[in-house]
Amino acid sequence: MYMFEVCAKCGHVGRNYYVDKIFVVRASNGKEAARVVRNFPRVKHHHKDAIRYVIRIDEARYWEVRNMNDKDPYFTCHSIQEQRMNCTITPIAEKQVIDYEDEEEELRKRFYDGKKAIRNPKKYYGKYDDEERYAA
């Protein structure tokens, strides 16, 4: 068994934000260490880049990081209120993924019946309107 230092994205600091935290783990190889840390509490499990790096370390560094994490208020708090009172963390903003379908929808011409916005004018006027109207 080897000892590994694994840096992972941790959450519970706000939507679209994360904090990098270092964990230490004993594992047979780096892939197994990354798999184990991905399932730790507070780690962003579903992010494909949740594991930042994995480094093999010696026993002195292992105990240094363990002691550092034991004193870290981020890992010892039990509620968001405790976290806000005790922790001084600076969250990092995640890159926003651009959704091109929303852009296409915004570029389309909007149709209204009075003040009501109509999503599909062809269907709406064929179904709900008795008199023939042209959407402008």
Side-chain angles (χ1 to χ4, degrees):
M1 290 292 246
Y2 300 108
M3 292 174 245
F4 291 94
E5 175 181 312
V6 182
C7 182
K9 279 183 166 182
C10 292
H12 301 286
V13 291
R15 189 174 183 151
N16 297 325
Y17 288 92
Y18 69 94
V19 176
D20 283 336
K21 292 291 180 180
I22 298 172
F23 298 93
V24 286
V25 129
R26 292 177 191 252
S28 58
N29 58 29
K31 282 188 177 184
E32 184 183 335
R35 184 183 52 80
V36 168
V37 169
R38 185 180 283 273
N39 292 320
F40 278 1
R42 298 179 193 244
V43 173
K44 290 190 174 264
H45 312 290
H46 299 295
H47 285 241
K48 64 180 178 183
D49 61 339
I51 304 300
R52 310 298 274 178
Y53 63 81
V54 179
I55 300 173
R56 190 169 157 196
I57 57 172
D58 61 339
E59 191 171 353
R61 176 68 179 158
Y62 177 85
W63 288 109
E64 179 187 335
V65 174
R66 282 279 304 260
N67 292 332
M68 190 172 59
N69 284 349
D70 288 342
K71 295 174 187 171
D72 190 354
Y74 178 79
F75 293 119
T76 59
C77 63
H78 297 286
S79 66
I80 190 69
Q81 291 82 10
E82 278 185 53
Q83 183 175 321
R84 287 181 186 145
M85 277 189 340
N86 300 333
C87 297
T88 55
I89 51 178
T90 55
I92 304 165
E94 291 193 34
K95 294 179 182 176
Q96 296 294 326
V97 178
I98 300 169
D99 192 7
Y100 292 106
E101 292 176 7
D102 292 339
E103 286 183 11
E104 289 175 11
E105 189 175 311
E106 288 177 12
L107 295 175
R108 283 191 232 142
K109 191 173 181 181
R110 308 274 303 189
F111 293 96
Y112 295 92
D113 185 17
K115 289 188 176 184
K116 182 181 175 187
I118 302 168
R119 283 192 233 161
N120 189 343
K122 195 173 189 180
K123 188 186 268 187
Y124 177 83
Y125 287 119
K127 192 173 187 180
Y128 295 111
D129 222 6
D130 295 335
E131 62 191 50
E132 192 174 320
R133 265 195 197 173
Y134 296 97

